[in-house]
């Protein structure tokens, strides 16, 4: 692995990215990225609409209460699955493939199988979401889709993820960079954790409390080893590129990587503190969570150290604003994971809306914001045209930033208040429920703002795609019209 100890010194991922072959690499990825990003945005709009409905039903139960297919018990898991497996995976596939090709200096040799895998993946997500709405949910967080969708997702993942290894093998780079470390971990970890969770929870379910251990282990790893790894790969690549300077204290990146992978993979089971599981399981999960302080400290040095003296760059770069928002969200999420391993804190926040706030901060505030920033950089390069409307980028950032802050802040404060009241035997349960309503209404307003931001992003992308298609058609016409003259 290349670190600062190797020459050239202090060159981070983007500094060593190829320039001469970039246009060829981008052109080879144009078709698959068009399908992946389009699929991701369609699922993102669906997830945004479902999240507004689900959030509104929490404080207004009569909203859509006359249709069994859109009750909260079905809408919420459907929204979670669409967001994670529809938006999250399609966007992660697109960004990881582009990053791997650029850093490896390898063009995609073909895209037929990759496109077939993308179709299979989205058909699988459609079947799974339909199954949830029809009442076949597994009722396990992050694994709600029924078992009949799993084989299709498995095949599709193999067909898509394999191409990241193909472009790496076809590349000419002789070094591995921090972004590639995280990409390899994400691509290899998901089949492992998904297979174990599906076999032990869905197809041949284990008995008793082991189910809750496996579920907590899977949910933690799905976030840290898949979503967080993809987003960290994007940060290590795009942050120095946008700031036009190397990553600060880059030599520590390898330490943070190994610490996160080794200990982070077991930190998820700390969510079972106080639950009906053996004490050693809780202690092991708590110890692993405390170990996250090491990568947290290194991320502060790497990312905030890079921003030091360059905060003014945020004024002129929307992609940098998205990534900066994601960096701060990552630090807060890791702090929340460490705090959640404290018995006193967990006794208040468990089984409250605070855990929902933590999930929203991780998936929206961290992963999605970083991916948005990455897409705002790579789309103009892949499609060889600028974004259609800069004002829509501003609307997207402002609406998303305010929306995420409102949702996370409302649920976090409301969750702590809810936990304190639940711990007080003198407070009636109905009073606790009533006391959460203002926080839930505020979170609903935040969901509406987020949906507005996603709509602005989708309009801007499809507008840009139309402009790129028009330019392509115009170029072909010019080429055809010049052909007879050249023949003469």
């Amino acid at each position: 692995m290349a670190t600062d100890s190797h020459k050239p010194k202090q060159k981070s991922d983007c500094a060593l990215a190829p320039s001469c072959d970039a246009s060829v690499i981008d052109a080879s990825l144009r078709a698959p990225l068009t399908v992946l990003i389009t699929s991701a945005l369609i699922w993102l709009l669906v997830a945004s609409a479902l999240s507004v409905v689900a959030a509104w039903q929490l404080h207004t139960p009569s909203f859509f209460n006359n249709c069994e297919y859109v009750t909260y018990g079905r809408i919420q898991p459907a929204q979670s699955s669409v967001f994670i497996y529809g938006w999250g995976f399609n966007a992660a596939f697109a960004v990881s493939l582009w990053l791997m090709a650029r850093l490896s200096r390898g063009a995609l040799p073909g895209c037929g199988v990759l496109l077939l895998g993308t179709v299979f993946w989205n058909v699988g997500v459609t079947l799974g979401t339909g199954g949830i709405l029809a009442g076949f949910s597994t009722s396990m967080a992050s694994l709600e889709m029924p078992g009949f969708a799993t084989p299709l997702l498995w095949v599709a993942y193999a067909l898509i993820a394999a191409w990241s290894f193909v472009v790496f093998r076809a590349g000419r780079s002789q070094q591995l960079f921090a972004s590639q470390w995280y990409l390899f971990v994400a691509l290899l970890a998901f089949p492992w954790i998904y297979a174990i969770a599906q076999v032990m929870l869905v197809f041949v379910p284990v008995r008793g409390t082991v189910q809750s251990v496996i579920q907590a282990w899977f949910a933690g790893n799905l976030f840290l080893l898949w979503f967080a790894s993809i987003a960290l790969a994007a940060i290590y690549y795009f942050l120095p590129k946008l700031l036009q300077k190397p990553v600060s204290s880059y030599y520590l990146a390898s330490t943070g990587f190994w610490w996160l992978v080794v200990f982070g993979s077991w930190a998820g089971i700390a969510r079972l503190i106080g639950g009906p599981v053996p004490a050693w399981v809780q202690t092991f999960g708590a110890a692993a969570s405390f170990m996250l302080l090491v990568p947290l400290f290194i991320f502060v040095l790497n990312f905030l150290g890079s921003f030091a003296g360059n905060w003014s760059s945020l004024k002129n770069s929307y992609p940098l604003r998205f990534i900066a928002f994601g960096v701060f969200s990552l630090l807060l999420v890791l702090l929340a994971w460490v705090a959640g391993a404290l018995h006193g804190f967990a006794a208040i926040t468990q089984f409250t809306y605070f855990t929902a706030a933590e999930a929203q901060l991780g998936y929206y505030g961290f992963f999605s914001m970083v991916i948005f920033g990455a897409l705002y950089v790579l789309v103009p390069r892949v499609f060889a045209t600028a974004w259609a409307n800069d004002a829509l980028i501003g609307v997207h950032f402002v609406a998303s930033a305010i929306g995420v802050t409102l949702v996370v802040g409302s649920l976090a404060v409301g969750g702590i208040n809810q936990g304190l009241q639940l711990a007080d035997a003198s407070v009636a349960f109905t009073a606790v429920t009533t006391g959460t309503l203002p926080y839930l209404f505020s979170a609903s307003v935040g969901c509406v703002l987020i949906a507005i931001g996603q709509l602005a992003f989708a309009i801007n992308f499809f507008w840009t795609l139309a402009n790129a298609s028009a330019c392509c058609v115009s170029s072909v016409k010019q080429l055809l019209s010049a052909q007879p003259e050249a023949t003469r």
Side-chain angles (χ1 to χ4, degrees), residues 182-193:
Y182 285 105
L183 291 179
F184 280 126
V185 163
L187 294 171
L188 295 174
F190 178 72
W192 170 51
I193 62 173

Side-chain angles (χ1 to χ4, degrees), residues 225-373:
L225 295 189
W226 171 258
F227 286 105
S229 292
I230 296 290
L232 283 167
I235 294 174
Y236 273 109
Y237 181 87
F238 289 107
L239 186 60
K241 190 178 189 67
L242 295 171
L243 291 175
Q244 298 183 343
K245 61 177 288 190
V247 172
S248 176
S249 304
Y250 186 63
Y251 63 94
L252 292 174
S254 60
T255 304
F257 166 78
W258 286 113
W259 218 271
L260 182 71
V261 171
V262 173
F263 294 106
S265 59
W266 300 103
I269 56 178
R271 307 306 173 91
L272 300 175
I273 287 177
V277 295
W280 69 267
V281 173
Q282 304 175 34
T283 304
F284 185 68
S289 296
F290 289 134
M291 291 298 176
L292 292 178
L293 287 171
V294 175
L296 171 64
F297 178 69
I298 292 175
F299 293 149
V300 169
L301 293 178
N302 283 169
F303 303 146
L304 298 190
S306 299
F307 275 113
N310 294 276
W311 293 107
S312 59
S313 301
L314 294 173
K315 295 179 182 177
N316 304 317
S317 175
Y318 277 115
L320 196 57
R321 295 184 195 180
F322 278 102
I323 291 177
F325 194 99
V327 167
F328 280 107
S329 298
L330 167 65
L331 302 180
L332 290 175
V333 167
L334 292 181
L335 277 177
W337 277 54
V338 174
L342 299 171
H343 282 261
F345 189 78
I348 296 174
T349 57
Q350 274 185 330
F351 312 117
T352 70
Y353 290 113
F354 186 87
T355 55
E358 193 179 314
Q360 296 288 339
L361 183 63
Y363 283 109
Y364 265 115
F366 169 46
F367 170 77
S368 296
M369 294 296 270
V370 170
I371 295 301
F372 289 144

Side-chain angles (χ1 to χ4, degrees), residues 19 43 46 53 132 138 145-147 187 215 306 357 424 442:
S19 58
W43 286 119
V46 174
V53 175
I132 293 172
T138 64
M145 286 195 286
L187 294 171
Q215 196 281 325
S306 299
D424 188 350
S442 178

Side-chain angles (χ1 to χ4, degrees), residues 440-460:
L440 296 176
F441 180 79
S442 178
S444 299
V445 175
C447 288
V448 172
L449 288 175
I450 292 175
I452 292 172
Q454 318 311 358
L455 183 61
F457 181 45
I459 292 173
N460 206 6

Side-chain angles (χ1 to χ4, degrees), residues 26-195:
D26 290 341
S28 72
L29 296 171
R30 191 166 297 148
L33 290 195
T34 301
V35 177
L36 284 169
I37 298 174
T38 299
S39 303
L41 287 184
I42 291 174
W43 286 119
L44 181 62
L45 293 177
V46 174
S48 298
L50 293 177
S51 70
V52 171
V53 175
W56 218 266
Q57 286 178 334
L58 281 176
H59 54 81
T60 309
S62 59
F63 190 56
F64 279 129
N65 68 339
N66 55 354
C67 180
E68 61 178 311
Y69 298 107
V70 290
T71 56
Y72 183 80
R74 298 188 183 186
I75 285 287
Q76 194 281 328
Q79 187 276 335
S80 175
S81 297
V82 166
F83 185 84
I84 291 176
Y85 295 96
W87 149 250
F89 271 79
N90 278 293
F93 286 143
V95 172
S96 61
L97 187 61
W98 188 83
L99 286 175
M100 187 64 83
R102 279 296 194 103
L103 289 168
S104 304
R105 303 177 65 186
L108 191 67
C111 63
V113 176
L114 177 56
L115 292 175
L116 184 64
T118 304
V119 172
F120 281 177
W121 182 269
N122 288 295
V123 170
V125 175
T126 304
L127 286 175
T129 306
I132 293 172
L133 294 175
F136 295 101
S137 170
T138 64
S139 302
M140 298 178 187
S142 306
L143 283 171
E144 292 94 345
M145 286 195 286
F148 57 75
T150 301
L152 198 55
L153 294 178
W154 252 103
V155 173
Y157 184 87
L159 295 177
I160 298 172
W163 288 96
S164 291
F165 296 97
V166 169
V167 294
F168 173 75
R169 184 70 179 86
R172 289 174 291 172
S173 175
Q174 301 298 315
Q175 292 180 299
L176 278 177
F177 307 109
S179 295
Q180 290 168 301
W181 311 340
Y182 285 105
L183 291 179
F184 280 126
V185 163
L187 294 171
L188 295 174
F190 178 72
W192 170 51
I193 62 173
Y194 193 62

